[in-house]
Amino acid sequence: MQPTSPAAEVRVFSHHAGLIDEVPVTAPPFGNIQDVVIGILQQRAQQLGAPTPAVITDDRYGGAVRLLIHPDGSTETLPDADC
């Protein structure tokens, strides 16, 4: 299924902090920012009733990945498009 919304811009700074569309997000103690980000994007997909694309830039590792997050929480990697 093709995404119907613009890609969320995600930036991860550490295991506990990041931004989603320039809004700060943090993980709880002993939590992981990846789980928080996927959870927020899953909620967005559920509200839209369609998969949510995201470009995730991870400053910890110096890379970026494009993902599609489905309403059920599953994810798939999208081909790179000059992330």
Side-chain angles (χ1 to χ4, degrees):
M1 176 181 275
Q2 291 296 321
T4 58
S5 61
E9 294 291 330
V10 178
R11 184 164 203 141
V12 174
F13 301 112
S14 71
H15 292 289
H16 298 286
L19 298 171
I20 298 177
D21 293 331
E22 299 185 16
V23 176
V25 293
T26 57
F30 306 107
N32 192 310
I33 194 67
Q34 287 118 278
D35 295 334
V36 172
V37 167
I38 295 299
I40 290 169
L41 296 175
Q42 178 186 3
Q43 288 176 351
R44 187 179 291 184
Q46 290 171 343
Q47 290 169 350
L48 293 171
T52 298
V55 176
I56 302 172
T57 302
D58 195 326
D59 291 348
R60 299 172 299 175
Y61 308 110
V65 64
R66 290 172 32 91
L67 292 180
L68 191 61
I69 299 87
H70 295 274
D72 66 1
S74 64
T75 63
E76 62 183 281
T77 304
L78 296 173
D80 288 340
D82 299 317
C83 288

